[in-house]
Amino acid sequence: MGNGEISLNHPAIYRCLLRDMGIDLPQTSSRQYAEWPGFREESFAKPVFWLAISRFPRTYMPEILGLNLAMELSGVGGGYRRAGAALEFYGYSTLFVDLHNTIDNVATGHSAWAADAIDTYLADLPQVLGPEGVAAAWERIRAGYRSLNRLGNLAAGLYAAPRTRVPANPARARVLTRS
Ligand SMILES: [Fe+2]
């Protein structure tokens, strides 16, 4: 969220990127946002799933822990790098994907925190639930992890979607195309 600093707020950074692309979205809390014709209907599937499961943190704790790890890992390395290359190709800021590629890193970033959260959760379970309970909880964590991509992982594809646009820097574009 940017810890109160709007310049670090990820939705604000993403809105800036969209504005550079000529897209000025209505306020997120507005009716116009919900009905904005530029959204594809399926774009809401994953956010609605996240919002829905987040309403039940106790009931779905194992699934949420797995989902959280999958979310933090998704894009780190490959996906964000490809998205960054596509954004750079078309002359847009790569700040949004650069931020996530660093913040979500697996050594000390959000992905590491997510793995630690799972370890912490599992550490106390044997005394409470016994071995079978731990195995069942682990299966639920795995189900939560897998649930992220049940709805499709389109992030990199969406960034790379405007392929018909003319690159801002044709010389750079030729280099990227060759690699
Ligand atoms: Fe993250």
Side-chain angles (χ1 to χ4, degrees):
M1 298 310 289
N3 290 332
E5 281 190 54
I6 193 72
S7 63
L8 300 177
N9 178 273
H10 292 192
I13 292 167
Y14 198 80
R15 277 179 176 272
C16 279
L17 174 60
L18 290 176
R19 224 171 272 131
D20 286 347
M21 295 176 172
I23 299 166
D24 204 2
L25 283 176
Q27 276 297 314
T28 309
S29 58
S30 70
R31 180 101 199 155
Q32 289 84 359
Y33 181 90
E35 295 173 349
W36 189 66
F39 288 133
R40 288 187 277 187
E41 196 61 25
E42 61 268 28
S43 299
F44 288 97
K46 200 172 283 187
V48 166
F49 169 54
W50 291 341
L51 285 172
I53 199 168
S54 73
R55 300 287 293 171
F56 303 96
R58 291 181 197 201
T59 305
Y60 294 115
M61 175 63 82
E63 287 84 359
I64 290 172
L65 286 168
L67 174 60
N68 185 48
L69 177 62
M71 286 166 62
E72 298 298 351
L73 276 176
S74 70
V76 170
Y80 286 138
R81 285 178 59 193
R82 283 192 296 277
L87 288 166
E88 189 178 11
F89 180 86
Y90 292 106
Y92 295 116
S93 167
T94 60
L95 179 59
F96 187 81
V97 288
D98 292 343
L99 275 175
H100 281 96
N101 206 27
T102 51
I103 294 166
D104 294 341
N105 81 76
V106 297
T108 58
H110 293 174
S111 296
W113 298 3
D116 283 348
I118 292 171
D119 283 345
T120 302
Y121 177 75
L122 289 174
D124 293 334
L125 283 188
Q127 294 83 27
V128 180
L129 299 176
E132 286 178 14
V134 173
W138 179 239
E139 270 313 304
R140 291 180 62 188
I141 292 168
R142 287 168 54 94
Y145 185 94
R146 290 192 305 268
S147 72
L148 179 69
N149 292 323
R150 294 288 303 235
L151 301 165
N153 193 355
L154 299 174
L158 290 174
Y159 286 119
R163 292 186 186 283
T164 55
R165 297 183 66 126
V166 176
N169 181 344
R172 177 76 179 132
R174 277 194 294 280
V175 171
L176 286 170
T177 307
R178 274 201 299 267
S179 60

